[in-house]
Each structure stands twice: as C-alpha cells, then as structure tokens.
C-alpha cells in the first residue's frame, strides 16, 4: 500500500503541472480505486472524461465504481 500511496502522490504532482494528462489521471484513479478511495477515483475519472470523452477504459472503471 505504501508504494501505491507514493505513486498517488507523484501522479497528483504531475497533474498539478498538466491537468489535461488523461493517462496520468486514469493511473491515479486506478490506484485510488485499489486503495478503496472510490469517491476520489470516480472524481478523477469524471475529470479525465471531461478532457477526453472518448475513453472506454474510463467509462468501464466508472461503471465499476457506481453502485
């Protein structure tokens, strides 16, 4: 879990410099999902879809997060 948190921190820093990086945002969302932070993961996916609405992977992960 420590390495995942380290990755989350690095991805957040990368997004601060370039918020439109949907690939990084999806990596962040998946890490958040794996650590049980579902609401944060969903928010990141929704943001990724705003930048690039044509992402099937993002839509699939978002479906998993919704009850």
């Amino acid at each position: 879990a420590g390495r995942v948190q380290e990755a989350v921190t690095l991805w957040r820093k990368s997004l601060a410099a370039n918020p439109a990086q949907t690939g990084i945002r999806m990596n962040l969302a998946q890490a958040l999902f794996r650590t049980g932070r579902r609401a944060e993961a969903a928010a990141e996916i929704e943001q990724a879809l705003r930048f690039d609405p044509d992402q099937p992977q993002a839509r699939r992960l978002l479906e998993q997060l919704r009850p």
Side-chain angles (χ1 to χ4, degrees), residues 25-53:
R25 197 170 292 281
M26 287 304 301
N27 289 339
L28 172 58
Q30 289 173 352
L32 292 167
F33 177 70
R34 282 191 218 111
T35 59
R37 294 156 68 180
R38 298 170 67 93
E40 288 178 72
E44 293 299 335
I45 295 167
E46 288 168 354
Q47 187 67 16
L49 287 168
R50 283 187 199 98
F51 287 112
D52 183 4

Side-chain angles (χ1 to χ4, degrees), residues 21-23 26 45 48-49 51-60:
Q21 279 287 351
T22 57
M26 287 304 301
I45 295 167
L49 287 168
F51 287 112
D52 183 4
D54 203 26
Q55 281 205 37
Q57 177 189 13
R59 294 194 184 286
R60 281 192 302 272

